[in-house]
Amino acid sequence: MSDDELISKTASFIQEKFKAEGSGHDWFHIARVWRLSKHIAQNEKQADLLAVELGALLHDIADWKFHDGDMEAGSKASRKWLESIQVSDDVIKKVEDIVRSISFKAEGEKLELPSLESRIVFDADKIDAIGAIGIARAFAFGGHKGRLLYDPNVKPIKNMTFEQRLKSETHTINHFYEKLLLLKDLMQTETGKQMAERRHKFMEKFLEEFYSEWEGKI
Ligand code: ADP
Ligand code: NI
């Protein structure tokens, strides 16, 4: 199979699989991350585009949160699919690295991702969590969990540990301070950094406007 065929077969497989997905990782999130990854890869040069595209498409295939905390669930599921369409082992290994890097959630430690391809998809996934789309996703998530938009009496927790984050039930505005506003400094590629900058500014503007309306701006 040609690279294009491998990619489009994988896209159809994932689109079908994510049809009924209600956990915030819907097909359109995958499609956006795929697009962003291609864009970053083209700018960064030298990346293996086949691995990047397959990795972007498969990055959320099996979230450890829904697999009893099995951090390898995603890379295992990716290998299984890629073997079934006869992708070379060399590319499968690169994709496994990408999928593992994305599910890497340990906080506080220095991020050291194993390859350019994993840095690219990592950035794309985080970029989709900020800016206008990121704001919409955050409130959709909060609504799904039945949380308040905002409660001025509850302050954000800076430097949350991994466990604290798992248990956190605070309102959605706090999620900006606990995670979304920190993402731009986690960017792993120059292109990602530049893209995150603009979306970050937009979130800051949004928050400013939000508080001023909260106070009753006419
Ligand atoms: P990722 O896509 O990096 O795996 P998650 O699965 O943690 O991220 O979250 C999916 C989406 O839900 C993201 O847009 C994220 O910002 C949002 N989200 C996660 N936790 C919260 C929260 N406590 N409050 C609001 N939004 C959240
Ligand atoms: Ni994702």
Side-chain angles (χ1 to χ4, degrees):
M1 248 186 278
S2 70
D3 287 5
D4 280 352
E5 281 171 303
L6 293 172
I7 291 163
S8 69
K9 254 197 159 33
T10 302
S12 312
F13 165 66
I14 290 293
Q15 185 166 14
E16 186 58 34
K17 194 174 160 69
F18 277 70
K19 235 191 210 154
E21 177 61 60
S23 70
H25 290 120
D26 52 73
W27 160 250
F28 291 110
H29 162 65
I30 309 292
R32 289 190 302 268
V33 171
W34 179 22
R35 249 190 321 271
L36 289 164
S37 297
K38 273 194 276 193
H39 176 79
I40 300 173
Q42 274 149 11
N43 260 1
E44 291 291 314
K45 316 247 169 35
Q46 283 165 3
D48 178 338
L49 206 56
L50 176 62
V52 166
E53 293 196 44
L54 294 174
L57 285 165
L58 293 165
H59 83 272
D60 275 333
I61 187 174
D63 195 317
W64 56 269
K65 287 199 250 19
F66 310 109
H67 289 82
D68 297 329
D70 178 5
M71 295 285 181
E72 294 293 316
S75 53
K76 281 186 216 152
S78 300
R79 168 169 287 278
K80 191 168 163 222
W81 163 253
L82 295 173
E83 280 177 352
S84 81
I85 55 168
Q86 276 126 37
V87 171
S88 73
D89 201 57
D90 165 55
V91 173
I92 295 183
K93 286 203 177 95
K94 289 186 190 170
V95 173
E96 282 182 309
D97 274 343
I98 295 173
V99 176
R100 242 184 246 120
S101 305
I102 303 300
S103 45
F104 176 76
K105 290 267 165 45
E107 318 274 326
E109 290 163 43
K110 185 152 169 30
L111 255 184
E112 281 185 26
L113 301 183
S115 60
L116 174 60
E117 289 76 15
S118 52
R119 289 192 283 277
I120 289 170
V121 181
F122 178 90
D123 281 5
D125 189 42
K126 299 309 173 236
I127 289 170
D128 199 55
I130 59 179
I133 297 270
I135 295 170
R137 288 180 76 202
F139 287 103
F141 182 101
H144 178 70
K145 299 267 183 186
R147 293 179 188 162
L148 287 174
L149 301 177
Y150 178 47
D151 178 346
N153 299 314
V154 182
K155 300 292 171 217
I157 306 174
K158 290 274 164 75
N159 305 315
M160 261 204 212
T161 63
F162 186 52
E163 279 69 32
Q164 273 176 319
R165 194 183 295 290
L166 278 183
K167 284 196 221 103
S168 163
E169 288 185 0
T170 49
H171 56 75
T172 303
I173 288 291
N174 270 357
H175 185 61
F176 285 76
Y177 299 94
E178 290 166 352
K179 182 168 175 190
L180 304 184
L181 292 169
L182 312 177
L183 292 177
K184 86 168 167 47
D185 293 330
L186 286 183
M187 289 295 123
Q188 303 285 307
T189 67
E190 266 317 304
T191 314
K193 245 175 237 163
Q194 282 167 21
M195 292 166 82
E197 202 60 53
R198 180 195 150 101
R199 294 183 186 215
H200 182 88
K201 288 208 182 92
F202 185 81
M203 289 195 296
E204 287 181 328
K205 259 199 131 49
F206 165 80
L207 289 167
E208 217 176 280
E209 185 69 18
F210 184 95
Y211 296 127
S212 106
E213 290 181 15
W214 188 272
E215 297 299 333
K217 176 181 153 190
I218 313 291

